Amino acid sequence: MIRVADAIAALRARLAAASTSAHLDAELLVAQVLGTGRASLAADPDRAIAPEELLALESLVRRRLAGEPIAYLTGRREFWSLELEVTPDVLVPRPETELLVERALELIAGLQNPAVLDLGTGSGAIAIAIAAGRPDAAVTASDVSATALALAKRNAAGLGLLNLNFREGTWYAPLADLRFDVIVSNPPYVAAGDPALEALMHEPRLALVAGSGGLEALAAVAAGASAHLAPGGWLLVEHGAKQGEAVRGLLQSAGFARISTRLDLAGLPRVTEGELSR
Ligand SMILES: C[S@@+](CC[C@H](N)C(=O)[O-])C[C@H]1O[C@@H](n2cnc3c(N)ncnc32)[C@H](O)[C@@H]1O
């Protein structure tokens, strides 16, 4: 018989080769196959793991050792303290993206019933966090991927949020002549030949790669923004740590003022913003 505590200890050692969070991963995978939460594991460390549960656990461990993100194995990821469903159809939401949410909420703090657009919503993480933080806001979430959009809709419905609407299509194409107070986007920004893609091979290429230089999507988002912003509206985009200068240039060419780049928690340039001149 294998006890929960023994299984976690053994998995922790095996997963250390593939993960910097081996103990957490081990707990999440054991909790997943037992259909319980991590807190219950600590409360019952002597619980026996049944043979069929061990088989399921082994399959998950092998996938994790092959580099699959833990969020795809558990089907869940927390973002902005909200529990989201995540599948391989969408990028796993990253903690650094919370900077976009934080800044968007600051920019709409003084507005009543603000209109916000999240371009390339994926799991819906950014749009949902803003909609949850500002129930009076009208948040539009768009994506070119129908499967991503279906998941974003499920996530919004699961959290009981009613102030979101969804549009399918490329960047601004499905938005007709709608205008917003704030446009946020975490578009794909990795260059096609970037060796970093190797470690990201389980996530959708559509969510990661933006042409040979990595700036194609950011350029499209910046170029189309002025036609969809209210006067004095703001555009906020996430980008790669080395793309700050190039993105500030894109916003300048697109007619933005008060352009600046903010650092993420790791101290890396991560979000660039600009205000549409009135
Ligand atoms: C980096 S992911 C961001 C997902 C989510 N917003 C997040 O921060 O976790 C980029 C998203 O842009 C979407 N996307 C890629 N090309 C697009 C396009 N041409 N028009 C609209 N969305 C696009 C992808 O499907 C993906 O969901």
Side-chain angles (χ1 to χ4, degrees):
M1 183 195 81
I2 300 210
R3 297 160 57 243
V4 158
D6 297 334
I8 291 172
L11 290 188
R12 179 189 181 160
R14 280 177 74 193
L15 290 168
S19 170
T20 52
S21 53
H23 186 72
L24 176 64
D25 288 7
E27 286 188 346
L28 286 169
L29 295 181
V30 172
Q32 174 73 11
V33 297
L34 297 184
T36 186
R38 282 172 59 218
S40 308
L41 300 180
D44 193 5
D46 292 327
R47 174 174 171 180
I49 304 184
E52 62 276 14
E53 290 168 335
L54 279 177
L55 277 178
L57 187 57
E58 183 58 26
S59 153
L60 291 179
V61 170
R62 287 186 186 196
R63 287 168 63 189
R64 184 70 190 113
L65 287 171
E68 213 170 316
I70 192 84
Y72 290 161
L73 303 180
T74 62
R76 318 292 311 165
R77 171 53 53 105
E78 193 176 296
F79 180 83
W80 199 255
S81 300
L82 299 165
E83 176 96 337
L84 300 178
E85 181 188 346
V86 174
T87 72
D89 289 324
V90 298
L91 186 92
V92 178
R94 307 293 204 268
E96 57 266 30
T97 300
E98 293 188 356
L99 181 57
L100 268 184
V101 175
E102 193 181 314
R103 188 61 189 138
L105 288 173
E106 280 171 13
L107 287 169
I108 59 173
L111 303 178
Q112 278 182 353
N113 309 117
V116 179
L117 169 64
D118 173 21
L119 281 175
T121 198
S123 62
I126 299 169
I128 286 171
I130 294 170
R134 281 294 299 270
D136 67 320
V139 182
T140 299
S142 75
D143 207 292
V144 75
S145 159
T147 47
L149 217 48
L151 177 63
K153 285 180 191 171
R154 275 209 302 283
N155 275 325
L159 291 163
L161 296 170
L162 301 174
N163 55 333
L164 282 142
N165 70 87
F166 298 89
R167 305 275 173 133
E168 183 185 332
T170 186
W171 304 130
Y172 298 96
L175 298 163
D177 55 358
L178 288 177
R179 289 195 180 252
F180 303 88
D181 297 299
V182 170
I183 298 176
V184 292
S185 185
N186 174 20
Y189 54 71
V190 183
D194 192 323
L197 287 170
E198 171 82 27
L200 303 169
M201 62 185 278
H202 294 277
E203 294 183 86
R205 202 175 155 83
L206 179 66
L208 295 167
V209 177
S212 55
L215 287 168
E216 268 180 20
L218 283 157
V221 167
S226 65
H228 292 279
L229 277 172
W234 288 82
L235 171 66
L236 305 172
V237 291
E238 179 173 323
H239 52 72
K242 295 181 181 155
Q243 293 173 325
E245 192 180 345
V247 174
R248 289 193 294 279
L250 290 173
L251 265 63
Q252 201 159 22
S253 307
F256 284 88
R258 297 171 72 185
I259 299 167
S260 65
T261 298
R262 289 168 186 265
L263 307 183
D264 64 18
L265 288 175
L268 300 171
R270 185 61 62 195
V271 166
T272 293
E273 65 182 37
E275 185 186 28
L276 189 65
S277 311
R278 284 168 197 272

XYZ file of all heavy atoms in Angstrom, residues 185-194 196-197 207-219 222 237-252 259-264 267-273:
384
model
N -3.923 44.293 -24.002
C -3.615 43.108 -24.800
C -2.294 42.488 -24.354
O -1.327 43.194 -24.090
C -3.519 43.464 -26.288
O -3.324 42.280 -27.047
N -2.337 41.171 -24.254
C -1.106 40.393 -24.104
C -1.017 39.537 -25.357
O -1.419 38.381 -25.374
C -1.179 39.519 -22.842
C 0.012 38.579 -22.729
O 1.045 38.807 -23.347
N -0.138 37.510 -21.946
N -0.541 40.130 -26.463
C -0.555 39.404 -27.738
C 0.641 38.448 -27.826
O 1.527 38.488 -26.968
C -0.410 40.539 -28.754
C 0.442 41.539 -28.051
C 0.086 41.454 -26.578
N 0.684 37.606 -28.851
C 1.894 36.793 -29.048
C 3.068 37.739 -29.293
O 2.910 38.724 -30.018
C 1.589 35.996 -30.327
C 0.174 36.259 -30.671
C -0.299 37.443 -29.918
N 4.238 37.449 -28.704
C 5.379 38.351 -28.944
C 6.738 37.637 -29.010
O 7.783 38.240 -28.801
C 5.407 39.505 -27.934
C 5.372 39.154 -26.455
C 6.468 38.569 -25.813
C 4.259 39.471 -25.686
C 6.443 38.299 -24.460
C 4.215 39.192 -24.320
C 5.312 38.610 -23.711
O 5.288 38.340 -22.358
N 6.706 36.347 -29.318
C 7.966 35.610 -29.452
C 8.317 35.521 -30.942
O 7.444 35.286 -31.776
C 7.840 34.194 -28.844
C 9.185 33.468 -28.916
C 7.337 34.255 -27.397
N 9.595 35.716 -31.265
C 10.041 35.610 -32.662
C 10.048 34.147 -33.091
O 10.354 33.249 -32.291
C 11.443 36.199 -32.801
N 9.703 33.901 -34.374
C 9.526 32.524 -34.867
C 10.720 31.613 -34.584
O 10.545 30.448 -34.259
C 9.209 32.560 -36.350
N 11.935 32.131 -34.669
C 13.098 31.249 -34.495
C 13.667 31.256 -33.085
O 14.753 30.708 -32.857
N 12.969 31.860 -32.144
C 13.515 32.019 -30.787
C 13.675 30.649 -30.109
O 12.715 29.880 -30.021
C 12.542 32.893 -29.968
C 13.147 33.352 -28.648
O 13.894 32.567 -28.028
O 12.861 34.480 -28.244
N 13.724 29.947 -27.130
C 12.861 29.847 -25.941
C 11.585 29.055 -26.254
O 10.936 28.527 -25.343
C 12.492 31.239 -25.436
N 11.241 28.964 -27.555
C 10.002 28.258 -27.927
C 10.061 26.770 -27.578
O 9.029 26.134 -27.360
C 9.723 28.427 -29.425
C 9.233 29.813 -29.835
C 9.228 29.946 -31.347
C 7.845 30.078 -29.261
N -0.617 31.440 -29.791
C -0.598 32.332 -28.618
C 0.791 32.893 -28.356
O 0.939 33.814 -27.552
C -1.083 31.570 -27.380
N 1.807 32.340 -29.039
C 3.184 32.696 -28.695
C 3.912 33.465 -29.792
O 4.602 34.442 -29.527
C 3.987 31.405 -28.417
C 3.551 30.582 -27.209
C 4.208 29.204 -27.260
C 3.924 31.306 -25.921
N 3.783 32.986 -31.029
C 4.670 33.443 -32.101
C 4.048 34.583 -32.902
O 2.887 34.518 -33.296
C 5.027 32.264 -33.030
C 5.900 32.740 -34.187
C 5.748 31.182 -32.234
N 4.859 35.629 -33.126
C 4.385 36.780 -33.893
C 5.436 37.159 -34.932
O 6.208 38.104 -34.746
C 4.103 37.942 -32.957
N 5.503 36.377 -35.989
C 6.390 36.696 -37.109
C 7.852 36.475 -36.785
O 8.213 36.033 -35.699
N 8.699 36.844 -37.752
C 10.119 36.539 -37.609
C 10.780 37.398 -36.531
O 11.764 36.994 -35.918
C 10.833 36.714 -38.943
O 10.582 38.016 -39.409
N 10.229 38.587 -36.249
C 10.853 39.458 -35.252
C 10.118 39.502 -33.924
O 10.590 40.125 -32.973
N 8.933 38.914 -33.863
C 8.177 38.903 -32.605
C 7.308 40.136 -32.385
O 6.603 40.231 -31.380
N 7.327 41.082 -33.347
C 6.598 42.340 -33.111
C 5.332 42.493 -33.962
O 4.619 43.483 -33.836
C 7.522 43.537 -33.380
C 8.598 43.784 -32.320
C 9.616 44.796 -32.822
C 7.982 44.266 -31.002
N 5.056 41.504 -34.807
C 3.935 41.659 -35.757
C 2.600 41.925 -35.069
O 1.851 42.810 -35.456
C 3.793 40.391 -36.612
C 4.577 40.479 -37.885
C 4.436 39.226 -38.746
O 3.467 38.458 -38.572
O 5.333 39.026 -39.578
N 2.295 41.134 -34.029
C 1.001 41.285 -33.357
C 0.956 42.604 -32.582
O -0.059 43.323 -32.615
C 0.754 40.100 -32.420
N 2.053 42.936 -31.907
C 2.096 44.208 -31.161
C 1.901 45.377 -32.117
O 1.209 46.355 -31.794
C 3.433 44.331 -30.420
C 3.516 43.474 -29.139
C 4.968 43.170 -28.765
C 2.802 44.168 -27.980
N 2.474 45.286 -33.331
C 2.322 46.361 -34.317
C 0.862 46.474 -34.754
O 0.323 47.586 -34.880
C 3.229 46.093 -35.521
N -1.184 48.015 -31.874
C -0.922 49.452 -31.719
C -1.536 50.243 -32.868
O -2.193 51.262 -32.655
C 0.589 49.703 -31.654
N -0.119 47.295 -23.368
C 0.266 46.002 -23.957
C 1.397 45.346 -23.161
O 2.314 46.020 -22.688
C 0.713 46.128 -25.432
C -0.459 46.480 -26.330
C 1.850 47.120 -25.603
N 1.288 44.023 -23.036
C 2.412 43.260 -22.485
C 3.364 42.927 -23.640
O 2.932 42.768 -24.791
C 1.905 41.968 -21.839
C 3.051 41.133 -21.269
C 2.584 39.932 -20.461
O 1.560 40.034 -19.741
O 3.256 38.886 -20.557
N 4.661 42.802 -23.318
C 5.641 42.453 -24.353
C 6.845 41.782 -23.732
O 6.966 41.689 -22.494
C 6.056 43.712 -25.123
C 6.503 44.847 -24.243
N 7.694 44.845 -23.574
C 5.862 45.998 -23.885
C 7.803 45.956 -22.874
N 6.697 46.676 -23.018
N 7.759 41.344 -24.584
C 8.971 40.691 -24.107
C 9.892 41.692 -23.408
O 9.831 42.903 -23.674
N 10.754 41.170 -22.530
C 11.608 42.033 -21.713
C 12.550 42.891 -22.549
O 12.986 43.953 -22.104
C 12.409 41.168 -20.740
N 12.845 42.460 -23.786
C 13.770 43.243 -24.625
C 13.038 44.067 -25.686
O 13.664 44.609 -26.592
C 14.767 42.292 -25.305
C 15.676 41.605 -24.300
C 16.671 40.701 -24.994
C 17.545 40.020 -23.958
N 18.087 38.755 -24.442
N 11.711 44.121 -25.601
C 10.944 44.790 -26.662
C 10.445 46.180 -26.268
O 9.730 46.816 -27.047
C 9.751 43.914 -27.063
C 10.159 42.603 -27.741
C 8.986 41.661 -27.972
O 8.063 41.605 -27.151
N 9.015 40.931 -29.066
N 10.802 46.644 -25.061
C 10.249 47.907 -24.555
C 10.451 49.074 -25.519
O 9.502 49.788 -25.860
N 11.676 49.250 -25.963
C 11.983 50.402 -26.818
C 11.195 50.320 -28.141
O 10.599 51.304 -28.596
C 13.486 50.439 -27.097
C 13.915 51.739 -27.710
C 15.423 51.770 -27.989
O 16.167 50.914 -27.448
O 15.834 52.640 -28.766
N 11.190 49.124 -28.725
C 10.473 48.947 -30.000
C 8.978 49.208 -29.815
O 8.338 49.839 -30.669
C 10.703 47.531 -30.529
N 8.421 48.766 -28.699
C 6.977 48.944 -28.490
C 6.648 50.412 -28.216
O 5.629 50.929 -28.702
C 6.473 48.013 -27.355
C 5.008 48.290 -27.043
C 6.653 46.550 -27.754
N 7.517 51.102 -27.495
C 7.288 52.546 -27.304
C 7.279 53.243 -28.667
O 6.466 54.137 -28.922
C 8.361 53.147 -26.382
C 8.189 52.704 -24.923
C 9.051 53.528 -23.964
N 10.476 53.341 -24.145
C 11.199 52.309 -23.659
N 10.598 51.366 -22.946
N 12.495 52.225 -23.877
N 8.139 52.797 -29.572
C 8.172 53.360 -30.929
C 6.868 53.079 -31.676
O 6.344 53.949 -32.375
N 6.332 51.876 -31.500
C 5.069 51.525 -32.172
C 3.930 52.425 -31.675
O 3.095 52.887 -32.455
C 4.704 50.052 -31.895
C 5.574 48.980 -32.563
C 5.195 47.592 -32.052
C 5.412 49.041 -34.086
N 3.894 52.661 -30.358
C 2.827 53.504 -29.799
C 2.984 54.953 -30.259
O 2.001 55.635 -30.545
C 2.806 53.421 -28.263
C 1.811 52.393 -27.684
C 2.153 50.975 -28.084
C 1.717 52.497 -26.164
N 4.226 55.399 -30.360
C 4.470 56.767 -30.828
C 3.988 56.934 -32.273
O 3.281 57.878 -32.594
C 5.954 57.068 -30.741
C 6.259 58.542 -30.696
C 7.634 58.792 -30.102
O 8.488 57.902 -30.106
N 7.854 59.987 -29.602
N 3.696 58.033 -23.116
C 4.101 56.627 -23.289
C 5.127 56.260 -22.229
O 6.091 56.991 -22.005
C 4.708 56.423 -24.699
C 3.661 56.753 -25.760
C 5.232 54.996 -24.879
C 4.219 56.891 -27.168
N 4.898 55.134 -21.558
C 5.915 54.673 -20.595
C 5.851 53.155 -20.478
O 4.851 52.527 -20.842
C 5.713 55.304 -19.218
O 4.501 54.864 -18.665
N 6.944 52.599 -19.968
C 7.042 51.142 -19.812
C 7.190 50.817 -18.334
O 7.956 51.473 -17.626
C 8.256 50.602 -20.595
O 8.053 50.888 -21.976
C 8.415 49.089 -20.417
N 6.432 49.839 -17.873
C 6.475 49.423 -16.457
C 7.206 48.093 -16.312
O 7.158 47.252 -17.209
C 5.048 49.277 -15.916
C 4.418 50.627 -15.767
C 2.938 50.609 -15.523
N 2.493 51.998 -15.551
C 2.357 52.761 -14.481
N 2.533 52.255 -13.278
N 2.008 54.024 -14.603
N 7.807 47.931 -15.128
C 8.571 46.718 -14.852
C 7.689 45.690 -14.143
O 6.819 46.048 -13.345
C 9.764 47.039 -13.945
C 10.691 48.171 -14.401
C 11.860 48.320 -13.431
C 11.211 47.915 -15.817
N 7.950 44.410 -14.416
C 7.220 43.356 -13.692
C 7.919 43.073 -12.354
O 8.901 43.730 -11.990
C 7.068 42.095 -14.568
C 8.400 41.442 -14.907
O 9.409 41.729 -14.229
O 8.428 40.634 -15.860
N 11.509 42.816 -12.166
C 12.277 44.011 -12.537
C 12.508 44.124 -14.035
O 13.370 44.889 -14.468
N 11.746 43.379 -14.837
C 11.946 43.405 -16.300
C 10.873 44.271 -16.969
O 9.703 44.219 -16.569
C 11.855 41.976 -16.858
C 12.887 41.000 -16.305
C 12.576 39.579 -16.746
C 14.290 41.408 -16.767
N 11.272 45.040 -18.004
C 10.283 45.844 -18.742
C 9.206 44.908 -19.300
O 9.539 43.968 -20.026
C 11.103 46.474 -19.870
C 12.525 46.359 -19.430
C 12.619 45.145 -18.568
N 7.947 45.135 -18.979
C 6.923 44.135 -19.323
C 5.664 44.724 -19.938
O 5.018 44.093 -20.776
C 6.549 43.350 -18.045
C 5.605 42.198 -18.247
C 6.155 41.142 -19.158
N 7.360 40.545 -18.613
C 8.210 39.790 -19.341
N 7.976 39.560 -20.621
N 9.288 39.283 -18.787
N 5.270 45.939 -19.504
C 4.012 46.517 -19.999
C 4.278 47.944 -20.461
O 4.858 48.736 -19.720
C 2.938 46.522 -18.882
C 1.770 47.424 -19.259
C 2.432 45.111 -18.601
N 3.876 48.242 -21.689
C 3.991 49.616 -22.188
C 2.600 50.196 -22.404
O 1.693 49.507 -22.869
C 4.842 49.658 -23.481
O 6.185 49.308 -23.132
C 4.847 51.035 -24.121
N 2.440 51.463 -22.008
C 1.129 52.115 -22.096
C 1.252 53.459 -22.781
O 2.348 54.048 -22.815
C 0.550 52.322 -20.682
C 1.376 53.292 -19.842
C 0.835 53.449 -18.428
O 0.359 52.438 -17.859
O 0.893 54.577 -17.899
